[in-house]
Amino acid sequence: MVSSDGRPYQEEPMRVAVIENMRNTGLGALAAALDEAGAEIEWFRVWQDGILPLDISGHDALVVLGGEQSALDDETHPYLPELVRLTRRFGDAGKAVLGICLGSQILARAYGADNHLGIAREFGWHRIGVTADGRADPLLSALGGEFTIFEWHADTFSLPEGAVRLASSPVAENQAFRIGRAVYGTQFHFEANSDVVEQWKAEFPDTIARIAPGWLEKHAELALRHGGAADAAGLAIARAWVSLIEREEVEMLSQASA
């Protein structure tokens, strides 16, 4: 590609900021899609130091991952108000934003919705219904009317004003939404492929045993039954979102004109 005066453009790798709200969260399917696209990932492990991107100019996209806290736990996680503002700044600038689980709840808060705590518990592989809007949306259009995906949450939220509901379940009406061109929230963990779920099983057995009695013992059977379909759906969603990231082009002088 060349500019109007004949000088070539060099396409920079897409730069993606990833906010990790809890240790060992894992990108799973999203990591695969970002790697395919040649993206540069910068991790912000706020659970460790509370440090967030200084502004939005250094990244083309923002990902906010899940965590054990709620989207309203400002007292115990004092970085949360600034993260809420950061997601809104990225979105208002037209950049691609993705909130997964807690990230979707933070995103809903950023756009003025209400967070509802402890009323929508889902864990394990579940069927998710795609709305008519969702079937026409780039994120979910390849998945048909429903798909299987992994869930791990107890909180939910109201639909932000101006948002489009893309997916739903009997437990949590707002499973996925879009605001504007490329601001997406997914309550479900589409990034949690079989490897990530296996990691969570090893990392958090006590928590899982408490919230989903018997699941650990049934994991192998459930993974065999649902893991393949969930992995395929998750990778399709990941690739679809990554395709919406708009990169800035940097004009470079050619060797001939140097």
Side-chain angles (χ1 to χ4, degrees), residues 67-142:
E68 60 189 346
Q69 65 271 43
S70 85
L72 302 178
D73 279 340
D74 296 357
E75 185 173 342
T76 54
H77 297 78
Y79 69 86
L80 277 173
E82 180 54 32
L83 178 54
V84 168
R85 291 189 288 269
L86 183 71
T87 61
R88 185 64 185 260
R89 290 201 298 273
F90 266 85
D92 289 351
K95 297 193 176 191
V97 180
L98 174 65
I100 301 175
C101 198
L102 171 64
S104 71
Q105 297 157 12
I106 290 171
L107 192 57
R109 176 182 170 184
Y111 281 87
D114 296 322
N115 293 104
H116 305 298
L117 308 185
I119 66 168
R121 184 174 298 280
E122 291 179 293
F123 180 85
W125 287 283
H126 288 266
R127 298 292 285 175
I128 301 296
V130 182
T131 67
D133 287 322
R135 289 192 289 273
D137 189 272
L139 193 74
L140 303 181
S141 60

Side-chain angles (χ1 to χ4, degrees), residues 2-7 9 251:
V2 296
S3 66
S4 58
D5 60 2
R7 292 185 298 177
Y9 283 107
E251 190 172 328

Side-chain angles (χ1 to χ4, degrees), residues 12-26:
E12 289 281 299
M14 62 178 67
R15 303 156 299 169
V16 181
V18 175
I19 311 300
E20 187 181 48
N21 289 288
M22 182 179 177
R23 66 180 177 85
N24 297 334
T25 304

